[in-house]
Amino acid sequence: MAAAPVWSVDPRTGKQREQVAVEATAGEVDRVVRAARDAAPALADRAVRAAFLRTAADLLQETKDHLVEAADAETALGPVRLTGELARTCYQLRAFADIVDEGAFLGVVIDHPDPSATPPIPDLRRYKIPLGVVAVYSASNFPFAFSVPGGDTASALAAGCPVVVKAHPDHPGTSELVASVLRRAAVAHGIPEGVLGLLHGFEAGVELVKHPLVSGAGFTGSIRGGRALFDAAAARPVPIPFHGELGSLNPVVVTEAAAAERGEEIGAGLAGSMTLGVGQFCVKPGLVLAPQGAGGDRLLKSLTEAVSDTEAGVLLDHRMRDNFVAGVRERAGLPDVEAPVTPGAGGEHTVSAGFLTVPAERLADEGAYDLLLEECFGPVTVVARYADAAEITAVLSRLPGNLTATVQLSSDEAAGESGRGAELLAELTPLAGRVLVDGWPTGVAVAPAQHHGGPYPATTSTSTSVGGTAVERWLRPVAYQNTPEALLPPELRDDNPLGLPRRYDGRLQH
């Protein structure tokens, strides 16, 4: 049987553009994984891999016009959005190069013998080493930042791990182009091309997570797909860590005082956040708890005006469009659910933004309204109108884990002049990995303190996929005991020949 073709499809028309590859067989998966494994020694030198990451960023930037054109043809995300996303991706690669140069991520700890301790302490030296080959599953909605050159790939390479990427079917052509750029960067520093493998096809993705030479995996996508791969990773004869980002509702709580003080501003901000990128952000606010009364009414009026002015847009593929149209229809059909601006089909290939409202008390108990507590991918949000603080608590207590949770406070509440702000932060913190005050969750800064993760099902681990600490996912600690200096890795020697930050006999050294 001939291998199935992989087509690049124009989401604006639903028509095939060109065949860019064929789906990988199990034998091809094995070949690509083994090539990645064989390339690992070339990443051992930190200076080499830092230079590789910087060259990759430079080459991506040099070819940005071609890459953005290709990505727009496959995703309809637009040149402005894609140019910014590619710049973010290049910045992220350079940021990880800086982390590699600094070396603190290795976590070097050296303890000399202390026979007077109880029990006695031998000579112990600990640091972190790469896991091995990492499988990366690309996201649909970020063809650069969460795909072939994205955070999972960049952090794994920074850790010293070769990568095999399972390309997303929504942008296979872009994936091939970007992979070729990264391989050119690798070769420029004497690293084999196999350090970055690329595979297409659903079955290839399943084979990849099961391959015995794969030591870890990163995933961004749906709960259903991510959970299946997570279970497969755990069911292997040798289980591997699976860092998956699966889904998030990203709740927002607007206090009564905040709505009274700036309801119009909050409504406009919500509209901008929920429709950004045609609602295809993993941190889109999907549930908003807004008060009943005049302040909440002004918020909804502002939201209605802003969303009504939003033009219809194209989703990443027609399957997502069909799911969005069916999802909002089912939600809007529930009793007591109203649609001040009706979301749904905007045309044969587009969708229109909108939002739904429901009394918050309907969400407090299990039943048909549970659907409103599930993510609906696209430009829609649910505004639940609450009567009092007890209804807020009742709804929040029913939410699963999220990437983000947001609270909109009045100026007095934000200043701590009442206890309400602190109370809400305490309620929201268990629900999410990033808690925002008086902002909107769309937009995930690449910064050392960033955390892009959260309780399940937002993610399957406690780690982040954005920010410097993302590198920690692809490392494991190892300690050497009573090992002669001549046999120690350079990172663990007393004279510190590599100049690494470390904890030395209990004291932090830089």
Side-chain angles (χ1 to χ4, degrees):
M1 180 183 294
V6 175
W7 291 91
S8 173
V9 177
D10 183 349
R12 294 180 174 95
T13 64
K15 295 181 179 179
Q16 294 176 340
R17 298 176 60 247
E18 60 178 343
Q19 182 181 340
V20 298
V22 295
E23 294 186 357
T25 64
E28 288 165 334
V29 172
D30 180 65
R31 177 183 59 79
V32 171
V33 172
R34 290 184 182 279
R37 186 273 313 271
D38 292 345
L43 293 174
D45 188 318
R46 287 190 300 119
V48 169
R49 66 179 188 259
F52 166 34
L53 292 171
R54 292 191 177 96
T55 299
D58 292 343
L59 292 180
L60 288 171
Q61 201 66 41
E62 288 175 12
T63 55
K64 67 176 181 179
D65 292 342
H66 184 41
L67 295 176
V68 166
E69 181 182 9
D72 181 50
E74 292 187 312
T75 67
L77 290 173
V80 174
R81 148 72 194 275
L82 290 167
T83 298
E85 184 186 329
L86 184 57
R88 176 192 192 277
T89 303
C90 293
Y91 175 84
Q92 184 166 246
L93 286 163
R94 295 186 179 106
F96 278 115
D98 292 341
I99 288 169
V100 172
D101 281 339
E102 180 194 59
F105 74 99
L106 295 171
V108 177
V109 181
I110 295 175
D111 289 322
H112 287 97
D114 183 359
S116 67
T118 304
I121 297 174
D123 187 283
L124 287 170
R125 296 159 189 254
R126 180 186 193 269
Y127 78 142
K128 297 176 182 177
I129 62 174
L131 283 181
V133 178
V134 168
V136 169
Y137 294 81
S138 293
S140 62
N141 53 343
F142 285 89
F144 299 127
F146 284 85
S147 294
V148 176
D152 286 346
T153 296
S155 59
L157 292 172
C161 297
V163 172
V164 177
V165 180
K166 191 276 179 185
H168 196 279
D170 280 351
H171 41 79
T174 305
S175 299
E176 288 285 346
L177 289 172
V178 171
S180 68
V181 172
L182 295 185
R183 290 172 183 146
R184 282 169 49 205
V187 170
H189 296 281
I191 301 171
E193 287 188 352
V195 75
L196 192 283
L198 184 66
L199 300 169
H200 299 270
F202 175 83
E203 291 300 329
V206 176
E207 290 293 327
L208 180 61
V209 79
K210 293 179 179 179
H211 197 286
L213 294 181
V214 169
S215 300
F219 171 91
T220 303
S222 68
I223 293 178
R224 180 180 178 184
R227 183 55 195 253
L229 290 171
F230 175 71
D231 290 346
R236 291 167 37 128
V238 179
I240 58 172
F242 183 89
H243 302 283
E245 179 192 322
L246 310 187
S248 183
L249 194 61
N250 305 300
V252 178
V253 177
V254 182
T255 68
E256 187 173 1
E261 184 176 276
R262 50 189 181 88
E264 294 86 353
E265 175 189 333
I266 294 172
L270 172 60
S273 185
M274 58 153 288
T275 62
L276 185 65
V278 202
Q280 298 174 110
F281 280 64
C282 51
V283 288
K284 179 202 74 176
L287 175 69
V288 182
L289 286 157
Q292 299 175 8
D297 291 345
R298 288 195 300 274
L299 186 158
L300 253 63
K301 182 175 184 295
S302 174
L303 177 63
T304 299
E305 293 171 351
V307 173
S308 296
D309 289 339
T310 303
E311 295 182 0
V314 177
L315 294 185
L316 292 160
D317 61 41
H318 279 60
R319 177 186 58 82
M320 292 183 187
R321 179 186 176 278
D322 293 343
N323 289 341
F324 173 76
V325 172
V328 296
R329 183 187 299 121
E330 186 177 4
R331 288 164 171 79
L334 293 170
D336 293 332
V337 173
E338 298 180 358
V341 182
T342 304
E348 185 180 359
H349 305 292
T350 60
V351 297
S352 58
F355 69 97
L356 308 174
T357 63
V358 65
E361 62 182 350
R362 290 289 195 181
L363 306 180
D365 299 312
E366 293 185 15
Y369 290 89
D370 288 356
L371 184 63
L372 299 178
L373 303 181
E374 297 177 8
E375 180 183 15
C376 186
F377 195 72
V380 64
T381 195
V382 174
V383 180
R385 303 293 298 272
Y386 66 84
D388 53 33
E391 288 191 356
I392 296 176
T393 297
V395 174
L396 293 181
S397 69
R398 302 205 56 238
L399 298 187
N402 291 270
L403 294 169
T404 71
T406 301
V407 61
Q408 299 285 343
L409 302 174
S410 70
S411 54
D412 287 346
E413 289 169 331
E417 295 184 12
S418 74
R420 189 59 182 142
E423 291 171 1
L424 282 170
L425 284 178
E427 284 193 79
L428 293 176
T429 297
L431 296 178
R434 178 163 58 106
V435 180
L436 297 89
V437 177
D438 295 345
W440 297 103
T442 40
V444 184
V446 178
Q450 184 59 272
H451 187 81
H452 189 62
Y456 186 85
T459 49
T460 59
S461 71
T462 59
S463 302
T464 179
S465 62
V466 181
T469 56
V471 71
E472 296 173 359
R473 298 175 295 169
W474 318 120
L475 299 163
R476 72 172 180 88
V478 60
Y480 292 87
Q481 182 170 326
N482 294 337
T483 304
E485 182 89 1
L487 302 182
L488 285 169
E491 292 87 352
L492 298 180
R493 294 175 185 168
D494 279 334
D495 59 355
N496 197 12
L498 303 180
L500 294 171
R502 59 186 187 171
R503 186 168 291 278
Y504 192 82
D505 286 339
R507 294 189 177 185
L508 190 62
Q509 295 181 341
H510 296 280

